[in-house]
Amino acid sequence: MRCIPVFLDEEIVNQYYNGYCNNILWPLFHYLGLPQEDRLATTRTFQSQFDAYKKANQMFADVVNKHYEEGDVVWCHDYHLMFLPKCLKQYNDKMKVGWFLHTPFPSSEIHRTLPSRSELLRSVLAADLVGFHTYDYARHFVSACTRILGLEGTPEGVEDHGKLTRVAAFPIGIDSDRFTQALELPEVQEHMKELKERFAGRKVMLGVDRLDMIKGIPQKILAFEKFLEENSHWRDKVVLLQIAVPTRKDVPEYQKLTSQVHEIVGRINGRFGTLTAVPIHHLDRSLDFHELCALYAVTDVALVTSLRDGMNLVSYEFVACQASKKGVLILSEFAGAAQSLGAGAILVNPWNITEIAASIGYALEMSADEREKRHQFNFKHVKTHTSQEWAATFVSELNDTIVEAQLRTRQVPPLLPNKVAVDCYSKSNNRLIILGFNATLNEPVDALGRAGQIRELEHKLHSNTKEPLKKLSDDPKTTIVVLSGSGRAVLDKNFSEFNMWLAAENGIFLRHTSSEWMTTMPENLNMDWVDSVKHVFEYFTERTPRSHFELREMSIVWNYKYADVEFGRIQARDLLQHLWAGPISNASLDVVQGGRSVEVRTIGVSKGAAIDRILGEIVHKKGMKTPIDYVLCVGHFLAKVTFHLRLCYCYRKIMIGLADPKLWNLMKMCINFLSQSYHLNHLQYQELCYPNPILTGHHLCQNYQPPPKPVRRQLNTRNNVRCQT
């Protein structure tokens, strides 16, 4: 193996490794929480430690970039390098990057306490494949991305603006052959002989751990004490060998733990020991490989009582060395290995001393037949799920993920070419620009304010769009349409000052800002269903915190965007069942389930269905003689939008029908703002190429036949009604 060093200076090591990694991330990921002592000092130093963490990750990225060759696979490991995938992708977005966490990943409620929670999650999501030891850890990660970042969690991973980061479980293993072959070595056989002679006539119990807060060593020893208390006949027939490998001796917490363990061991040995034998043999040091293999081989019961553990491979090593003895494994349910070896081990809650003591008795008295069955199950798993298999599986999945991502990319329109869009705009003479409002032109809205209260829910036009929109709308060669699901009052409030067309409630209501609202819906439209649907929405709004519903003129929308994501989805399913079972069972209505909303509306109400009516009305109103030679459509449209004669096709993101344009600077300002805006980081376009050049001029003007003139009814404007909790 060729290793390339990354040199970090002493200050970076102290702030990055000892500070942020070991003092912040490691305790948090093991459910110990953020440091409690001297909180003010911790707050002051946190930012400097996080800055050092990012700097160190960038230094790793610089070394990787220096030696990277096309086709290489970059596999980042553990919480020390959570920022590395982002750094690498910024250098080369085609680089194959995987990230694997060797510790537990905490629940979203724990992770959200971390000040840098969002930055770390987004940095990890830059990787193509994210791996964890168990499904639980993977589930927690996806949940954190959903709850903290507001992203979409899928069975395959996390989706962010069309980019899917694959998230999966890859349980690590050991090189089992190394342990089984070591048992045949003369020096190991000699160690085994010495141990058997030393503990002849006594059952051997074994614990091998780092002297760490999460390993549950005090709980293990206290449980053994309780077992001796309740089973006096075992006191001179069993011995516990505890190997505690010291770590971070200079840290006060670890020094305190060491003293605590020594005190407990001394008390128990003084209580149950004799002049010739003691029940606990405790070693504050590591053993060499051959000594460890011999100790595993002569053990009758292995005791792993981790309070939290990413995997714990001691359990694997013990099983690999038990081909002859068929010893019993008592394993903490909070160790990652419990999901792999749980069927063959005795699972315990390490916090339940009584349960562990009872399990020790059960293991010592277990029949040979049961020991054989349990061992064979675990031994088969350890032999087949090796470290080599783990690595090969991860790299194979990473390569497959890249291929699948490339296939998905081919099906998605490419990014909007700003320069092409502006060039064409500057050469055109009759332009049509259709813009969405929600998630396109409005101000970014966070789900929660600082105090956990819902922020202003009403959409507001982004301040940066006002000037370019004003200049574009004042251009006589440009027609702008804002097509939105919002009600008339919302559009009036935001766009009345502009010279443009407004299409409210998905195009049901239409007006130019210089005239009154009109609708194409029949006058005798049956709206008797509204009250019954409203009652259902009110019921679920009251029972779903931070949800709200909006009563529009032709539809009702229940929105749970600001509610807890998982609870909101459960409530949405129940709401739909209530609707289908009652209010809408026999009604001619459409039920549209959005990402985090449910809308009930009259059949035929959609942006796609409205486009023909809107275009026809605009052509009729303006008396267009010049062909429309440029169409730009920007919006987060939920349904297909089809222009008459296939002029333009939009689905969800953006599509542009190319022709010719003008007003370079103004259009450039608008395009650049939209493409760089928080909600349109991935603008996409599709260039329409038809056998006939319908976008080039006369063809469109000569062949276009507007739909029949719509029934125009003037409407009295009334405010939308909104209820929320």
Side-chain angles (χ1 to χ4, degrees), residues 55-289:
K55 183 176 181 180
N57 275 247
Q58 185 60 56
M59 294 171 72
F60 275 91
D62 293 340
V63 173
V64 172
N65 295 337
K66 183 178 179 181
H67 296 87
Y68 173 80
E69 296 181 1
E70 186 175 355
D72 287 350
V73 172
V74 183
W75 190 358
C76 312
H77 286 267
D78 229 0
Y79 57 92
H80 309 83
L81 298 175
M82 294 181 74
F83 232 79
L84 186 55
K86 178 181 178 181
C87 297
L88 295 173
K89 287 292 188 175
Q90 287 176 339
Y91 173 77
N92 182 355
D93 62 356
K94 304 297 183 184
M95 190 181 293
K96 300 178 182 178
V97 178
W99 182 80
F100 188 88
L101 182 66
H102 292 267
T103 69
F105 192 89
S107 70
S108 59
E109 287 302 301
I110 297 294
H111 185 78
R112 70 188 300 183
T113 63
L114 186 65
S116 56
R117 58 192 185 184
S118 298
E119 285 188 79
L120 289 180
L121 289 176
R122 291 198 178 277
S123 299
V124 171
L125 287 175
D128 300 294
L129 176 62
V130 175
F132 300 90
H133 282 308
T134 71
Y135 170 74
D136 283 347
Y137 306 157
R139 178 171 53 85
H140 289 163
F141 178 79
V142 173
S143 177
C145 293
T146 301
R147 293 172 178 268
I148 296 173
L149 301 181
L151 302 179
E152 184 71 21
T154 72
E156 291 186 339
V158 179
E159 186 174 343
D160 182 8
H161 291 92
K163 177 188 180 297
L164 177 66
T165 299
R166 177 89 182 279
V167 180
F170 301 91
I172 198 172
I174 62 171
D175 183 359
S176 57
D177 290 341
R178 179 172 177 244
F179 286 86
T180 54
Q181 293 169 6
L183 297 179
E184 306 299 326
L185 298 176
E187 54 265 48
V188 175
Q189 292 289 328
E190 183 63 28
H191 283 307
M192 291 171 60
K193 181 180 178 182
E194 293 174 358
L195 290 170
K196 289 177 181 178
E197 292 175 354
R198 174 70 179 81
F199 300 111
R202 305 174 77 182
K203 293 284 189 178
V204 177
M205 295 178 58
L206 175 65
V208 179
D209 308 277
R210 293 194 322 271
L211 190 55
D212 217 326
M213 277 85 71
I214 65 165
K215 294 300 183 179
I217 297 177
Q219 286 81 359
K220 178 191 305 183
I221 299 174
L222 290 173
F224 184 61
E225 179 184 27
K226 186 171 183 61
F227 168 75
L228 295 178
E229 287 176 352
E230 297 176 349
N231 300 273
S232 57
H233 61 287
W234 275 105
R235 291 176 184 175
D236 58 349
K237 298 178 182 179
V238 64
V239 60
L240 172 62
L241 309 181
Q242 177 61 53
I243 311 299
V245 182
T247 58
R248 305 181 70 185
K249 297 180 181 180
D250 56 333
V251 178
E253 290 84 355
Y254 287 79
Q255 295 171 355
K256 182 179 178 180
L257 176 64
T258 302
S259 299
Q260 181 186 24
V261 170
H262 288 173
E263 180 184 348
I264 298 173
V265 170
R267 176 170 55 78
I268 296 174
N269 282 340
R271 182 181 177 188
F272 298 106
T274 66
L275 291 175
T276 57
V278 292
I280 301 177
H281 290 247
H282 181 87
L283 294 181
D284 281 330
R285 66 177 181 86
S286 60
L287 300 180
D288 67 37
F289 178 68

Side-chain angles (χ1 to χ4, degrees), residues 423-429 431 629-630 658-662:
D423 285 342
C424 294
Y425 181 93
S426 64
K427 299 173 185 176
S428 61
N429 294 308
R431 314 174 190 98
D629 53 2
Y630 178 91
L658 295 179
D660 293 328
K662 210 170 187 179

Side-chain angles (χ1 to χ4, degrees), residues 416 514 633:
L416 173 69
S514 62
C633 185

Side-chain angles (χ1 to χ4, degrees), residues 329 331-332 336-347 374 377-378 381:
L329 173 63
L331 180 61
S332 166
Q339 295 195 17
S340 303
L341 305 180
I346 300 176
L347 295 183
R374 287 177 177 268
F377 180 90
N378 285 343
H381 181 88

Side-chain angles (χ1 to χ4, degrees), residues 6 13 19 51 192 262 424 445 463 508 538 582 597 650 664 716:
V6 178
V13 169
D51 291 341
M192 291 171 60
H262 288 173
C424 294
V445 178
S463 56
I508 291 301
E538 286 176 339
S597 65
C650 305
W664 171 281
N716 295 323

Side-chain angles (χ1 to χ4, degrees), residues 91 220 432 591 652 710:
Y91 173 77
K220 178 191 305 183
L432 176 63
V591 179
R652 289 208 52 153

Side-chain angles (χ1 to χ4, degrees), residues 485 505-506 527-538 541 548-559 575 579 583-584 589-593 597-602 605 718 721-723:
E505 295 202 28
N506 299 308
M527 299 294 289
D528 294 341
W529 55 270
V530 172
D531 287 339
S532 56
V533 172
K534 178 184 173 184
H535 290 319
V536 174
F537 280 14
E538 286 176 339
T541 298
H548 67 280
F549 76 88
E550 183 179 350
L551 179 60
R552 298 172 179 172
E553 296 178 74
M554 296 293 176
S555 64
I556 307 181
V557 181
W558 182 69
N559 194 306
L575 180 145
L579 290 176
I584 67 172
L589 300 172
D590 281 334
V591 179
V592 181
Q593 190 170 8
S597 65
V598 176
E599 180 178 3
V600 179
R601 63 194 186 193
T602 304
V605 177
R718 63 180 177 88
V721 178
R722 168 170 295 185
C723 304

